[in-house]
Amino acid sequence: MLKLVIAGCLLLSAAASSSFGLFRNQISREGVKDFQDSLAADRQKHIDEVNQMIKGRENDKAEDVYKNLKYIGGFNAGLLPKIMNKWSVALGVSCGHCHEIGSWDRDSKPEKEIARKMAAMSPVILNYLRTIKELKNQNPIVNCTTCHRGQVKPAIDMAN
C-alpha cells in the first residue's frame, strides 16, 4: 500500500511539474513578446524623433543630411531610419545599442563600428555566394538576419 501511495505521489508530482513547465514556457513566450513590443515602441520613438529632425529634407541625399555616415549612403535621407530599424530588428535591439541617443553621429559605442564592419561584410559574402554555380538560387540574400536571427550574438549552433 505504501508503494502505491509513493507511486501516486510521484505521478502527481510529475504531472504538476510538467503542467508548471507548460505554464512557465507560456510565461516566457508572453514575456518575450512584451519585450519585443517594448523594443519596437522604443525604436519607433527614436525613428519619429529622427524623422522630425530631418523634416523637409527626407528627399535630400542621406550624406548631405546626416553627419558621420561612413559605410552607407547614396540614397534619400528618409530611408536611413527605415534601414536602421531593419538592422535593429535583425539584432533584437533598439537604437541605443549602437548609438548615443540624441547624438546619433557620435562614435562613442564600439557596437556602432562593429555594425559598420559587419554591414561591409555582407556584400563580400553575397558576391562569393554568386560564384557558386551549384546553388539552387542564383540570387541569394545575405543580410544581418541571415546570421543574427533577432539576437545580438549570431547563431553559431543550431542546438541552442
Side-chain angles (χ1 to χ4, degrees), residues 69-108:
L69 289 182
K70 293 183 179 178
Y71 170 72
I72 58 176
F75 50 81
N76 291 344
L79 190 55
L80 187 63
K82 295 173 185 171
I83 293 169
M84 293 289 108
N85 187 51
K86 290 209 179 276
W87 288 4
S88 295
V89 170
L91 270 70
V93 298
S94 189
C95 309
H97 181 74
C98 295
H99 294 278
E100 186 176 321
I101 302 300
S103 299
W104 305 104
D105 57 326
R106 295 203 55 209
D107 288 336
S108 56

Side-chain angles (χ1 to χ4, degrees), residues 2-158:
L2 182 59
K3 287 182 183 179
L4 188 58
V5 171
I6 291 173
C9 288
L10 288 174
L11 283 173
L12 286 173
S13 176
S17 294
S18 74
S19 294
F20 177 72
L22 292 173
F23 181 68
R24 188 181 67 230
N25 287 340
Q26 185 170 351
I27 291 171
S28 296
R29 277 188 235 113
E30 289 170 2
V32 167
K33 183 175 179 345
D34 289 345
F35 179 71
Q36 289 170 338
D37 289 348
S38 68
L39 280 177
D42 190 56
R43 283 191 302 267
Q44 190 59 54
K45 177 180 79 168
H46 298 306
I47 288 168
D48 292 346
E49 289 170 8
V50 171
N51 284 334
Q52 189 61 39
M53 287 172 34
I54 67 163
K55 192 170 186 169
R57 301 191 68 196
E58 300 91 343
N59 295 320
D60 293 354
K61 286 184 177 179
E63 48 272 32
D64 293 340
V65 174
Y66 301 103
K67 299 176 189 173
N68 201 18
L69 289 182
K70 293 183 179 178
Y71 170 72
I72 58 176
F75 50 81
N76 291 344
L79 190 55
L80 187 63
K82 295 173 185 171
I83 293 169
M84 293 289 108
N85 187 51
K86 290 209 179 276
W87 288 4
S88 295
V89 170
L91 270 70
V93 298
S94 189
C95 309
H97 181 74
C98 295
H99 294 278
E100 186 176 321
I101 302 300
S103 299
W104 305 104
D105 57 326
R106 295 203 55 209
D107 288 336
S108 56
K109 294 189 174 189
E111 292 83 0
K112 188 174 182 181
E113 188 60 27
I114 291 168
R116 286 175 173 144
K117 290 178 179 178
M118 297 289 274
M121 181 178 64
S122 293
V124 173
I125 295 170
L126 183 59
N127 288 334
Y128 178 76
L129 287 174
R130 289 182 178 147
T131 69
I132 303 173
K133 301 299 179 210
E134 296 81 11
L135 284 179
K136 290 180 183 176
N137 182 351
Q138 287 302 305
N139 295 308
I141 296 173
V142 175
N143 57 34
C144 305
T145 306
T146 305
C147 299
H148 285 276
R149 301 183 182 267
Q151 303 292 317
V152 172
K153 183 180 175 188
I156 57 173
D157 183 358
M158 294 304 289

